[in-house]
Amino acid sequence: MNAASASPSAPTSASHATPSPRLILGAALLDIVLVTVFAAIGRASHAEDVLGGLGITAWPFLVALAAGWAVTLAWRAPAAPLRTGAPVWAITVAGGMLLRAASGQGVQIAFVIVASIVLLLFLIGWRLIGSLVRRARSRRAA
C-alpha cells in the first residue's frame, strides 16, 4: 500500500471521484430538457400553443434552474439525488414561481402544487434512478 492510497482524503469509491465533463454537461442538459418538457406539458394541458409560448412559460423555471445549479455547485455531484437534486428542485420551484409572479404570470396554489410534484419527479427522479442503477451495477461487479 502506498502513501497515496492510505491517505484519508483519497477517494475510496467512484462516488467520490470528480465527475467527468460529459456527466456534468449531460446532467445539465437533461435538467434543461425536463424543465422545458414540464412547461410544454403545462401549455398543452391548457390547450395553449405549445411551441408559440413555450419560452414565456419556461424561462422563469430555466433561470431558477440555473440559479439552483450555481447555488448548490451542482457540477461537483450532478447526479446526486439528495446533495444536488433536492436543492436544485427546491430552488427551481421557488425561484420559478417568484419570477412568474414578478413577470405577471399566474402562481395559483394548484399550479404551485402540480409544478412542485412534476419537477420533483423530473429533477430528483432521474438522479434517483441513476443512483439505483449504479448501486445495482456495483453490487454485480463486486
Side-chain angles (χ1 to χ4, degrees):
M1 181 182 303
N2 64 34
S5 65
S7 167
S9 63
T12 56
S13 71
S15 66
H16 292 95
T18 301
S20 70
R22 182 177 169 196
L23 174 61
I24 295 166
L25 180 61
L29 289 174
L30 184 54
D31 280 353
I32 290 166
V33 166
L34 290 171
V35 168
T36 304
V37 166
F38 154 73
I41 291 169
R43 292 193 61 79
S45 71
H46 293 285
E48 295 175 348
D49 179 16
V50 174
L51 295 179
L54 186 58
I56 293 167
T57 303
W59 81 261
F61 296 99
L62 292 171
V63 170
L65 175 68
W69 267 71
V71 168
T72 65
L73 307 176
W75 54 88
R76 292 185 176 175
L82 294 178
R83 186 245 176 255
T84 303
V88 165
W89 162 73
I91 293 167
T92 301
V93 171
M97 293 303 167
L98 288 172
L99 289 169
R100 279 181 64 87
S103 65
Q105 298 183 54
V107 289
Q108 294 79 10
I109 190 66
F111 175 66
V112 174
I113 292 168
V114 170
S116 297
I117 293 169
V118 171
L119 289 172
L120 181 135
L121 292 172
F122 281 6
L123 298 177
I124 298 175
W126 77 258
R127 289 174 168 91
L128 185 58
I129 292 167
S131 177
L132 294 172
V133 168
R134 283 189 304 277
R135 184 175 299 157
R137 286 181 181 168
S138 69
R139 284 186 183 148
R140 275 194 297 246

